Amino acid sequence: MAEFVISEAALERNARMLRETGDMCGAQVLLALKGFSTAACLPLLARYADGCCASGLWEALLGHKHMQKPVAVYSPAYRDDEFARLLEFARHIDFNSVPQWERFRARGLSHPRVRSGELLFGLRINPQYSTGHTPLYDPCAPGSRLGIPRDALEGMDLTGISGLHFHTLCEQGSEDLAATWEAIERGFGDLLSRPEIRYVNMGGGHWITKPGYNRTLLVEVVRRARERCGVEVLLEPGEAWCIHSGVLRARVLDVFESAGMRHAILDVSASAHMPDVLEMPYRPDVFQVLPGELGGGVLPAVTYPGEGYARAGLPGEAAFTCRLGACTCLAGDVIGDYSFPSALHAGDEIILDDMAQYTLVKTTFFNGVPHPSVVLQRGDGSLRCVKEWGYRDFEARLGGKEPV
């Protein structure tokens, strides 16, 4: 059976770097649960995070329960019942549009936690300045539904608003943040200078723990914002907390040739288990488990990798080239074309690297393909399964008998 394996040591390595960065620049560093919300790992990350950010009520409840730290919430829209629950425990609630703020303003401002300062409200702004490279993930694209453009704030009553929130990055460096912040200062500087604006949330997409990331520039940008505007700064990285901390262990079910192409069918699916492979698109690093190492050894996520693993190359680079595909009916459910030092056979194991972020939070039971288990790897290399799925979970998902 396939397994998502998450290294606690690698998670802690990232968390320490994020904590250090937050301390250097004076920012609050939150965990974005939309990228990684494995409950068994949240207490570990809570030791280093200032809190978490949620995209709605369910994520907020999860973070509140398992991290016991402040929760910041942003959603494109809130339901009445969701807003009522969030008023009870959230630290920040940010609104996506003027109508949403006007709808909930009176109800929110009358709440005791707001009057006492325990809960602050903010607006997500759209600087209309794009630095991303993937249109699907660009919140500043023309016609975007995410955030309020500057002209929409003209004449708006900002009574009760304490913060501005922007999220424009996706797997990007601090150079993009610096350019975006300059655009925000130009377009929203008059609002930032208002005394009632107490915080600026710079969103996520900061690749802080990626090798080569310019942390010095990030520190400069955050410090400049704090000093010039007199605000508290929040950062909401998601991927940076768990990059290079998890793998997906898969097995080969069949190998065959068709119309001049060699195919290896795996027991995992890009569509169901790692949709960013199709959406970004994203090509994961793949490792072949060498003979005698099946099911054992230290994972590539920890060692990058060592003895017992061979990195797959581009087509034609190594002796055996094949297309890795899923056992679903979706014709395009393909991970990619790779070459291996030796032939793949049914029963062989391969490792897909960097599979902690935006995988488990997006997985489905599409086609009824068995869902990979979730396994934690402790610092000593031992493994502990924290979640297994079975047929009853699949049946219960759409109204069948509850799992037992």
Side-chain angles (χ1 to χ4, degrees), residues 266-281:
L266 308 179
D267 62 349
V268 296
S269 158
S271 175
H273 305 140
M274 39 185 155
D276 273 359
V277 169
L278 304 181
E279 293 177 1
M280 283 292 286

Side-chain angles (χ1 to χ4, degrees), residues 288-370:
Q288 182 178 17
V289 180
L290 299 179
E293 298 292 337
L294 183 63
V298 180
L299 299 180
V302 177
T303 62
Y304 285 105
E307 185 178 353
Y309 301 92
R311 182 187 293 270
L314 295 172
E317 285 186 347
F320 184 84
T321 294
C322 67
R323 177 167 293 170
L324 301 180
C327 52
T328 70
C329 66
L330 177 64
D333 197 352
V334 169
I335 298 164
D337 296 348
Y338 294 82
S339 63
F340 298 85
S342 58
L344 294 180
H345 302 93
D348 287 353
E349 183 179 19
I350 66 170
I351 304 291
L352 296 104
D353 199 14
D354 209 12
M355 284 291 150
Q357 65 273 9
Y358 291 102
T359 49
L360 289 160
V361 295
K362 288 186 172 184
T363 56
T364 71
F365 284 104
F366 174 59
N367 259 201
V369 174

Side-chain angles (χ1 to χ4, degrees), residues 24-254:
M24 289 168 60
C25 64
Q28 291 195 24
V29 184
L30 311 181
L31 165 66
L33 294 171
K34 66 181 179 181
F36 184 76
S37 60
T38 305
C41 300
L42 297 185
L44 167 63
L45 298 182
R47 298 206 296 264
Y48 300 91
D50 291 296
C52 64
C53 62
S55 303
L57 177 61
W58 285 5
E59 281 187 355
L61 289 170
L62 182 78
H64 180 60
K65 176 180 178 180
H66 292 279
M67 297 187 73
Q68 299 183 18
K69 291 282 188 74
V71 179
V73 188
Y74 159 79
S75 175
Y78 300 102
R79 297 197 316 260
D80 287 349
D81 58 321
E82 291 175 323
F83 186 70
R85 290 292 306 278
L86 291 170
L87 287 174
E88 298 172 4
F89 65 90
R91 170 59 179 163
H92 299 88
I93 299 178
D94 293 339
F95 296 89
N96 183 64
S97 72
V98 173
Q100 274 274 294
W101 167 239
E102 291 176 341
R103 176 180 177 183
F104 291 110
R105 176 174 53 194
R107 185 176 177 186
L109 295 182
S110 65
H111 196 277
R113 294 188 67 243
V114 176
R115 294 200 301 268
S116 69
E118 296 177 70
L119 170 59
L120 302 176
F121 294 130
L123 299 176
R124 176 167 175 171
I125 58 174
N126 179 356
Q128 298 178 290
Y129 180 84
S130 296
T131 60
H133 308 292
T134 305
L136 182 66
Y137 294 94
D138 183 2
C140 297
S144 174
R145 76 187 195 285
L146 302 177
I148 308 170
R150 183 63 182 89
D151 59 3
L153 293 174
E154 293 296 338
M156 177 181 174
D157 181 3
L158 293 179
T159 302
I161 292 297
S162 301
L164 298 181
H165 176 165
F166 67 92
H167 184 149
T168 64
L169 306 183
C170 176
E171 296 185 344
Q172 290 172 267
S174 53
E175 294 79 9
D176 295 301
L177 174 63
T180 300
W181 179 247
E182 289 180 3
I184 288 173
E185 285 190 303
R186 289 193 302 268
F188 298 85
D190 59 324
L191 300 182
L192 291 166
S193 65
R194 295 174 64 152
E196 61 266 35
I197 299 300
R198 296 168 51 185
Y199 72 90
V200 169
N201 187 327
M202 294 187 174
H206 312 281
W207 245 4
I208 298 170
T209 53
K210 185 77 172 178
Y213 182 91
N214 188 345
R215 289 202 292 164
T216 300
L217 180 57
L218 172 69
V219 171
E220 292 176 1
V221 173
V222 171
R223 285 179 176 173
R224 185 167 72 243
R226 293 176 58 225
E227 293 167 3
R228 288 186 184 179
C229 305
V231 293
E232 179 180 62
V233 173
L234 282 65
L235 302 173
E236 297 183 340
E239 187 165 341
W241 289 94
C242 53
I243 191 170
H244 299 313
S245 69
V247 301
L248 179 54
R249 306 178 77 125
R251 283 171 174 76
V252 178
L253 301 179
D254 191 20

